[in-house]
Amino acid sequence: MLFLFLVLLSVLLYFVVSLSDPGFVRTDAEVEVTMGSCEELQEMIPHLSAALRQRRCGYCLLLQPMRAKHCQRCRRCVRRYDHHCPWMENCVGERNHRSFVFFLAVQLVVLVWGLQVAWSGFSATATWEAWLRHNGFLLAAFCVVGVFSVVVLLLLGSHLYLVSLNSTTWEFMSRHRISYLKQCGADENPFDRGTLRNLRAFFCSAHAVAWERLYTAGGTDPV
């Protein structure tokens, strides 16, 4: 029953990540329809100093909050963009990144459990030929589940590592091309508030963060 519950939970989390809003940057018109005012934009994109200019997206022409990026697959700008997941057919961003990490964790438990079930199903025989005949299907299933387990483990480990640094996959892979990180040192992250605070903010905070304020509070002087 527990295994079935975990499988159903992983399916539920898959659809949550796949169908949820990853944090699309909304236009003034969209905000007015849903909220009747521009309070959300004022909160998410605070007024910045002249040294820290907002960037206008070259595709959708919106002012991008810091850490946002335009996804050409979704054709929208996404807040705190991490990556576009082809398996989810959706971006992973500020609003669904936590659900994505939970999905990976549950999926890893299910896969490891499946490995244990496959391993326990192997039966001993007198010869290798007889063993392969009796256990060939289980061996193939064990290998496939093992490969998926390693992939999910690496994904989960990498995401937890980046979360502990308050960084994203996009920032980690494209640091040299991101304007607000170019002026930082190789090991400097202006959003890092310490491992425990980063993890607590990621897993326990539900509100949007004005990254511009945290950036300027870190003392970085961008060009």
Side-chain angles (χ1 to χ4, degrees):
M1 290 297 294
L2 179 58
F3 180 77
L4 180 60
F5 169 76
L6 290 174
V7 171
L8 293 176
L9 180 59
S10 68
V11 173
L12 175 63
L13 287 172
Y14 173 87
F15 284 109
V16 167
V17 177
S18 179
L19 301 177
S20 64
D21 176 3
F24 291 130
V25 178
R26 295 194 282 176
T27 64
D28 291 337
E30 289 174 321
V31 173
E32 288 174 0
V33 168
T34 57
M35 301 181 61
S37 68
C38 293
E39 292 179 1
E40 184 187 34
L41 289 182
Q42 293 173 359
E43 174 64 23
M44 291 185 174
I45 312 177
H47 296 290
L48 305 175
S49 63
L52 192 59
R53 294 183 295 272
Q54 291 178 337
R55 224 178 54 136
R56 187 172 294 277
C57 177
Y59 296 93
C60 55
L61 303 180
L62 291 176
L63 286 176
Q64 290 182 336
M66 185 170 284
R67 309 189 81 179
K69 182 183 181 297
H70 185 88
C71 175
Q72 297 189 22
R73 294 286 298 276
C74 295
R75 299 180 180 179
R76 298 284 297 273
C77 287
V78 180
R79 289 180 51 82
R80 195 182 175 276
Y81 177 86
D82 189 86
H83 70 286
H84 182 92
C85 182
W87 308 109
M88 298 288 183
E89 279 299 324
N90 195 12
C91 282
V92 175
E94 187 169 73
R95 293 187 178 179
N96 65 352
H97 196 178
R98 177 169 46 194
S99 299
F100 180 74
V101 171
F102 285 147
F103 167 75
L104 291 178
V106 174
Q107 194 68 34
L108 181 61
V109 173
V110 171
L111 288 169
V112 172
W113 197 327
L115 280 176
Q116 190 276 330
V117 171
W119 181 266
S120 63
F122 289 131
S123 58
T125 57
T127 63
W128 279 104
E129 291 79 5
W131 188 89
L132 286 175
R133 283 198 304 271
H134 285 85
N135 302 289
F137 178 78
L138 274 179
L139 179 62
F142 184 86
C143 292
V144 171
V145 175
V147 170
F148 279 107
S149 299
V150 172
V151 172
V152 173
L153 177 62
L154 293 175
L155 280 174
L156 179 61
S158 64
H159 276 276
L160 288 176
Y161 171 73
L162 292 175
V163 166
S164 70
L165 300 176
N166 202 349
S167 185
T168 65
T169 303
W170 173 55
E171 291 172 344
F172 181 79
M173 299 297 294
S174 304
R175 182 185 182 92
H176 61 286
R177 296 193 289 112
I178 300 175
S179 58
Y180 57 83
L181 294 179
K182 284 182 178 180
Q183 305 303 318
C184 302
D187 298 323
E188 182 183 357
N189 179 9
F191 308 110
D192 187 4
R193 292 176 288 179
T195 301
L196 293 180
R197 292 185 65 187
N198 292 336
L199 292 173
R200 184 179 63 183
F202 181 83
F203 288 107
C204 302
S205 178
H207 59 82
V209 179
W211 297 109
E212 294 85 351
R213 295 172 184 168
L214 185 60
Y215 186 93
T216 54
T220 306
D221 183 21
V223 175

